[in-house]
Amino acid sequence: MKKILVLAFVLVLALSGCSEKKKAGESVTEEVDSYAEDMKDTLGDQFSAPSEAVTKAVSGTWIVADSEDTYELKTDGTGRKNDEALTFECGFDDEKNITLKIKMDGSDTEELYAISTDETGYGIRLTALDGGGNLYLLPADIEFLDVNDERAKGIIGKWSDGNGNIYQLNDDMSMEIRGDEGSTEGSFSVVEDKSGTLLMRIVVSGGSLEYEYTLNEDGTQMDLVSPGTDTVHQWTKE
């Protein structure tokens, strides 16, 4: 997702919290992409059409919660459900849904879903817009850690970052961020990826942030690094 332009990312975040009652609407994908295309001269190489940005965001291998089904979605719009080939398209409709349309090879039937993120920031909820069943997709290449897990339990508590900000992480995976301008409530999740890296994702209204994190031996200091950067944020336990 490195080349997803800011505009596309804002569109994804702005639409992902749409009305609870979802229904299928007319596609406005071409209009949204065309609007963004008009800004291409300003955005330059960082430009990526919003529908393309969503496609990149959902690409990967996913397991369906409470099921044995697996979806593999590729950036070229092809993929597989278990051993069956499929094609898919991402876009937007006039009901302010971010949409995912899936068509299995050899079938004339299309499955249409509204996409939204879950409280962990890692999962994707697919709400059926065509009368079918809803799906909850979780990344296949990460392991969610319980706060009692030895790899994660040390992060629960109150932390400060030295800039006057306080981070309260609770064992129900809720959190509160307090600073000079007030407080913000959100949630967090802790995972280990296939390389053994521990990651924490903080989710608040409007978006999420992911960090690689390490705790010192006595659990009093946590170093957080955004993947792909060298900037270290240090939190101290209160």
Side-chain angles (χ1 to χ4, degrees), residues 13 16 62-63 65 116-125 136-147 155 171-175 185-192 199-211:
L13 294 177
S16 62
W62 306 87
I63 58 174
S116 60
T117 55
D118 71 352
E119 64 279 359
T120 73
Y122 287 101
I124 295 176
R125 297 191 185 278
Y136 180 25
L137 306 184
L138 295 168
D141 58 353
I142 63 173
E143 176 188 0
F144 286 88
L145 303 183
D146 184 87
V147 293
I155 68 173
D171 56 11
D172 63 355
M173 311 307 281
S174 67
M175 71 175 300
E185 295 185 349
S187 60
F188 71 97
S189 55
V190 183
V191 304
E192 183 176 77
L199 300 166
M200 177 168 64
R201 175 161 285 182
I202 295 172
V203 181
V204 295
S205 177
S208 65
L209 291 171
E210 184 181 58
Y211 299 100

Side-chain angles (χ1 to χ4, degrees), residues 27-37 49-51 90-93:
S27 175
V28 294
T29 304
E30 290 187 7
E31 296 174 41
V32 173
D33 285 351
S34 177
Y35 176 80
E37 180 73 23
S51 59
C90 294
F92 310 89
D93 69 17

